[in-house]
Amino acid sequence: MPNLSHNESVVAQNGTNGHDKQHEDLFEEVGKKVEAMGLSESEGGQSEENRDEGPKLVEEIESYCMNCGENGTTRLLLTKIPYFREIILMSFHCQHCHFKNSEIQSAGEIQERGSKYTLKLDNMDDFERQVVKSDTAVFRVEDLDIEIPAGRGQLTNVEGILIMVLKDLEADQPRRKRQKPELFEKIDGIVQPLIKMMLGARFPFKISLDDPAGNAWIEPSPDDKDRKYIRTDYARTIEQNAALGLGDGDSEAQGENSEEGAPASAQQVTQAHGPPIDPNLNVNFTDGEPLIFGIACPGCSKPCEVRMQMVDVPHFKQVVVISTTCDHCGYRTSEVKTGGAVPDKGRRIILKVLEHVDLSRDVLKSETCTVFCPELKLEITPGTMSGRFTTVEGLLTQVHDTLYSKVFEAGGAGGDSMDPERKQAWDNLFKNLQAAVKGEFKYQIVLTDPLAGSYIQNLCSPDDDPQLTVQDYERSEEEEEELGLTDMKTEIDETGTYRKEVLNRESNSADQSADDRAAEPDVAETAEAEKNKSETGRGVDAAEAANMVASNASNRAKPDEIEASDKKRNLIDLE
């Protein structure tokens, strides 16, 4: 099957830059294409010549077969995925040797930033979520520490990709059992837990999908709560840009000299592309003087300019506004970071939005902050949006626009494959978000920041604001682990020097035993697997696991929906 490069596939379908409308028509949803073809056939009674000249649902081209050397047929389907972007589905078949192959390629551009999706599966319905694994994405089962490296692109769901992993692991197990029993036991130690996961006996567990090109995707749900679904955008390293074919030879050579996986420093970039940095350069950054320096652009690895400015937020503290611009590829980004020492406690800020004037309050949302609105049943986890300094109205507008661009296409209609109930849930969420932006009803906004780096303006300052509540809370162990504070804490001793203190946490035996009991698989759910294992002496194979998963999915009752009131957030009721 011919391997179309990213540029070739885009140019072949886009044509020139002046054919944007043609590009949109080429990548219509499959349902719309079928409806258009059905209408044209029913209305016109077209001749065969006109039908050949008209739009086709599937394009066919003759291509070389890598298996037998003869010519086969490649079929191309250009379509859109709901909540995502344009893709090309390719299928090859050789009529001579009957060789078949299929794959998926992204028809969109490489995104400005890489993306990583993390999903915690806790019920059988999560196995049905759609997954787009691009040819540059790495799929991982975090609990078992196994991964599918970058390779062939796939369009499947969570269950399908896990079954594929299971089949690959089971493929040579009989031969390994005879020739290398030790290797067989090690792989079987991964296969059996994976089977229990697919049977629903080891909930919850996590999977992740990491794509430096930003073109991979795991389907979200409007009911995701408590950091179940996390999307994180990140700047690519020079090595990742080089692997994607971005940047020039100088930047790639520069990446070889730098530490593996780390972006180039300003000193390296300036020495490679301009005069060296003056070591005696004195910038009074704390007095508000802007600091300007060069780095490697996360989008193209060429030199770009970064501006940093210290800003005083009234009645809060100093924050750093960072702006990055690249004249080569047009990359632009801005974010806000809070400085200072790590506080002893996290902070939760609760705002009652009662009047239109509350929409104009200043809001500083740090990159570690979680935004929650109980009335909308909306939760934005850290990493989804970078640090922002805006207003309440601006924050909700950005949340609406960001989600809408991911969930719906530009035309405003959902994909033809979207479940009607799920589409209705998204419609209700966006409708309520628009009403919240206009201030049509009363609601609360809760900012939970483990680093206490977020802020909402107090309109009654210096007096207390009756609509604003600030609560300090003890960080959980999970939050401290994510922030890198679990095993190490930096302090200043009596002499004024930094030291690293190891935190001695005493584990609670009662909590530990409860966690152990929760981690144990349910006996009733794994009885069939254990029975098969005792009868065959080898556990459950991939085919049996797939059948058992399908049976469990059809017989298992859906778990009760967890209400927002169970989140123990100590929210204040609206008056």
Side-chain angles (χ1 to χ4, degrees):
M1 179 175 180
N3 183 19
L4 298 178
S5 66
H6 170 75
N7 293 333
E8 290 173 341
S9 61
V10 173
V11 171
Q13 305 304 332
N14 287 5
T16 61
N17 295 332
H19 292 80
D20 293 337
K21 178 62 178 178
Q22 181 181 1
H23 173 264
E24 294 178 1
D25 294 337
L26 287 174
F27 287 93
E28 282 185 338
E29 299 168 9
V30 177
K32 291 183 177 180
K33 287 187 176 182
V34 173
E35 290 177 1
M37 295 179 65
L39 288 175
S40 62
E41 290 181 0
S42 61
E43 291 177 358
Q46 297 177 341
S47 62
E48 294 184 1
E49 295 181 357
N50 293 334
R51 291 178 183 175
D52 293 339
E53 296 177 357
K56 296 181 180 179
L57 182 63
V58 178
E59 298 291 336
E60 296 185 0
I61 59 174
E62 187 177 359
S63 54
Y64 181 78
C65 177
M66 302 298 294
N67 189 48
C68 67
E70 300 291 338
N71 285 337
T73 302
T74 297
R75 292 178 173 85
L76 303 176
L77 174 61
L78 285 66
T79 185
K80 291 181 180 178
I81 295 180
Y83 345 107
F84 198 53
R85 56 175 62 93
E86 299 88 351
I87 61 169
I88 301 177
L89 297 175
M90 295 182 289
S91 174
F92 175 79
H93 177 252
C94 180
Q95 297 82 359
H96 303 279
C97 64
H98 303 290
F99 174 74
K100 294 182 179 180
N101 187 24
S102 61
E103 64 179 276
I104 177 177
Q105 285 191 8
S106 173
E109 62 182 7
I110 296 177
Q111 306 305 305
E112 289 185 347
R113 299 168 69 88
S115 60
K116 181 177 181 180
Y117 295 85
T118 303
L119 175 65
K120 180 166 64 175
L121 286 82
D122 53 18
N123 60 76
M124 298 300 294
D125 291 337
D126 290 334
F127 287 107
E128 300 177 4
R129 298 202 185 205
Q130 201 169 28
V131 175
V132 176
K133 181 187 178 298
S134 66
D135 53 1
T136 58
V138 176
F139 176 87
R140 286 181 54 87
V141 181
E142 299 292 347
D143 298 61
L144 298 180
D145 197 23
I146 59 177
E147 71 176 37
I148 301 177
R152 183 170 62 94
Q154 294 174 289
L155 173 60
T156 178
N157 57 16
V158 175
E159 179 183 343
I161 199 168
L162 290 178
I163 289 179
M164 184 191 68
V165 173
L166 185 60
K167 289 182 177 180
D168 289 343
L169 292 174
E170 282 273 2
D172 296 329
Q173 280 294 81
R175 181 175 58 84
R176 295 191 193 101
K177 188 174 183 179
R178 295 191 305 268
Q179 299 179 359
K180 298 180 179 180
E182 296 181 358
L183 181 59
F184 168 82
E185 293 295 336
K186 291 182 179 180
I187 296 180
D188 193 63
I190 298 176
V191 169
Q192 296 304 321
L194 182 59
I195 291 175
K196 292 179 180 179
M197 287 179 176
M198 298 181 63
L199 294 175
R202 290 195 57 166
F203 285 143
F205 65 93
K206 288 185 178 181
I207 62 172
S208 65
L209 191 62
D210 190 350
D211 185 10
N215 289 326
W217 176 75
I218 296 179
E219 180 183 356
S221 170
D223 298 326
D224 290 336
K225 299 291 187 301
D226 295 329
R227 298 176 61 82
K228 176 176 179 177
Y229 180 91
I230 301 175
R231 172 186 171 174
T232 305
D233 295 334
Y234 60 88
R236 287 187 291 268
T237 64
I238 291 181
E239 289 77 10
Q240 290 172 331
N241 278 332
L244 296 174
L246 301 176
D248 52 16
D250 293 338
S251 59
E252 293 177 10
Q254 171 190 327
E256 295 175 358
N257 297 329
S258 61
E259 294 183 6
E260 183 177 357
S265 64
Q267 180 81 17
Q268 291 173 318
V269 173
T270 308
Q271 289 179 349
H273 300 279
I277 295 177
D278 183 5
N280 299 321
L281 180 64
N282 185 15
V283 177
N284 196 350
F285 185 59
T286 58
D287 286 348
E289 186 176 349
L291 177 63
I292 304 174
F293 57 92
I295 65 168
C297 174
C300 65
S301 296
K302 295 181 180 179
C304 68
E305 186 178 80
V306 175
R307 293 175 177 263
M308 301 178 65
Q309 176 77 45
M310 187 76 77
V311 178
D312 281 320
V313 178
H315 311 290
F316 186 52
K317 59 182 177 181
Q318 288 185 326
V319 298
V320 182
V321 180
I322 306 172
S323 174
T324 306
T325 57
C326 179
D327 296 333
H328 300 280
C329 66
Y331 177 84
R332 285 178 178 271
T333 184
S334 61
E335 56 184 321
V336 180
K337 293 182 179 293
T338 56
V342 176
D344 295 332
K345 296 182 178 181
R347 177 163 295 178
R348 181 178 295 111
I349 306 174
I350 305 172
L351 171 66
K352 298 177 183 178
V353 181
L354 305 179
E355 302 175 355
H356 280 83
V357 68
D358 295 323
L359 297 174
S360 61
R361 291 178 185 252
D362 291 335
V363 175
L364 173 62
K365 176 203 168 294
S366 72
E367 58 185 2
T368 59
C369 176
T370 299
V371 181
F372 176 65
C373 182
E375 288 75 18
L376 297 176
K377 296 182 179 180
L378 174 69
E379 181 173 326
I380 306 298
T381 57
T384 305
M385 297 168 57
S386 59
R388 302 285 174 179
F389 187 53
T390 178
T391 62
V392 173
E393 181 182 0
L395 179 64
L396 293 179
T397 300
Q398 186 176 18
V399 170
H400 174 275
D401 295 343
T402 301
L403 287 177
Y404 195 88
S405 63
K406 298 297 179 184
V407 175
F408 290 108
E409 64 179 10
D416 56 278
S417 63
M418 188 188 301
D419 182 79
E421 294 183 1
R422 185 165 298 174
K423 184 177 184 298
Q424 182 63 38
W426 283 115
D427 287 335
N428 293 336
L429 174 61
F430 292 128
K431 181 180 179 181
N432 293 333
L433 262 176
Q434 291 176 344
V437 170
K438 298 176 182 178
E440 296 179 357
F441 64 93
K442 300 176 181 180
Y443 56 93
Q444 293 181 110
I445 292 180
V446 184
L447 303 185
T448 304
D449 193 341
L451 292 181
S454 297
Y455 161 84
I456 297 180
Q457 182 183 6
N458 182 353
L459 296 181
C460 301
S461 181
D463 298 329
D464 294 336
D465 192 332
Q467 297 175 218
L468 192 64
T469 303
V470 179
Q471 303 172 348
D472 291 335
Y473 70 94
E474 295 289 342
R475 286 187 292 264
S476 65
E477 292 190 8
E478 182 181 358
E479 288 176 329
E480 291 200 343
E481 183 178 358
E482 291 180 354
L483 297 172
L485 304 176
T486 303
D487 301 320
M488 193 172 297
K489 186 177 181 181
T490 303
E491 292 183 346
I492 301 180
D493 59 15
E494 296 78 5
T495 61
T497 58
Y498 286 97
R499 66 176 182 177
K500 293 180 179 179
E501 176 187 359
V502 178
L503 300 179
N504 296 322
R505 294 187 177 272
E506 296 181 0
S507 60
N508 190 321
S509 58
D511 294 341
Q512 183 68 26
S513 60
D515 293 340
D516 293 340
R517 288 193 299 270
E520 293 178 358
D522 186 49
V523 177
E525 292 176 331
T526 56
E528 187 174 354
E530 295 297 331
K531 179 181 178 181
N532 289 339
K533 183 173 181 179
S534 60
E535 291 177 353
T536 61
R538 62 170 178 81
V540 184
D541 61 17
E544 293 171 336
N547 294 333
M548 295 167 70
V549 169
S551 177
N552 266 4
S554 60
N555 297 329
R556 183 181 300 271
K558 293 184 178 179
D560 294 333
E561 203 175 295
I562 301 176
E563 298 294 337
S565 59
D566 294 335
K567 298 170 68 63
K568 299 180 180 179
R569 292 180 174 273
N570 298 323
L571 300 179
I572 299 177
D573 295 332
L574 291 173
E575 295 179 355

